[in-house]
Amino acid sequence: MRGRLALALVLTAAGCGGGSSSSNGEVAKSGAQVYNDAKRAATGASSVHISGAFTDTGKTVKLDLVLGAVASKGFMAQDSARADIARVGNIAYMRASTDFWRKFAGAAAAQVLHDKWLKGSATKQPFSAFAQFMSIEALVSEAFKGHGKLTNLGERTYKGEKVVAIKDAKDGSIVYVAATGKPYIVAATGGGSISFTDWNKQVSITAPSGAVDINSLSP
């Protein structure tokens, strides 16, 4: 669960779930067992709020995403280059700043597209690059692959929450998993810090109004 989790989007708790104060037994398990338990818990969740920042090639990328069962929304930003993104069913949406378009598409595109909502298929380019990860299941699948040896560092307190810390020997990153209630991911650190909150909180996400079909812009 490293910076790769969020990088996949650029191209994915205070909510500890059950509310119980008693141990859920994760502290006594191996690092791999806790990791797998956290993966199952996340995959079965209906929503989560992901926020924080990570470093990519020396640049700080900020993100704030709400992922629901059938819709998601949020933003990612690097300095003044910001993109608001959303997915409602099979349709993806994006609205980006002038600096974003200037950086990734050139000055001419920036003049026309800045701050304008665009829409297109979530399963086809160009939006599939980020839209496919705007679901909990897809994001979890990407985030939990390719790790090294996992070590359970024991119980700790992270921002007031009882957690079990799992260290990945491959890159030194640490995943904090709730030590009470369901073993939801609370945070991931390593090249930055990303928090996972509001697991299973009800979310209401609607499609941005006035979005322009990106296919209508093709020459």
Side-chain angles (χ1 to χ4, degrees), residues 92-172:
Y93 300 83
M94 184 175 75
R95 177 180 64 185
S97 67
T98 301
D99 285 348
F100 177 94
W101 288 119
R102 186 180 291 123
K103 181 176 182 179
F104 294 105
Q111 273 192 324
V112 176
L113 300 177
H114 71 97
D115 294 328
K116 180 179 295 185
W117 278 107
L118 302 177
K119 66 178 180 180
S121 172
T123 60
K124 297 178 181 179
Q125 291 291 353
F127 289 161
S128 61
F130 71 83
Q132 64 178 319
F133 296 106
M134 292 192 74
S135 74
I136 297 176
E137 184 175 357
L139 196 59
V140 167
S141 295
E142 174 66 20
F144 279 85
K145 70 181 183 182
H147 61 74
K149 181 180 179 181
L150 302 170
T151 302
N152 186 335
L153 301 179
E155 187 174 298
R156 299 182 178 182
T157 299
Y158 185 89
K159 296 185 177 179
E161 299 291 338
K162 288 184 178 181
V163 297
V164 178
I166 305 301
K167 184 175 182 179
D168 186 345
K170 188 174 183 179
D171 61 2

Side-chain angles (χ1 to χ4, degrees), residues 2 20 56 59 88 99 108 131 133 171 188 190 216:
R2 301 178 287 278
S20 170
D56 174 31
K59 297 285 189 177
V88 178
D99 285 348
F133 296 106
D171 61 2
S216 69

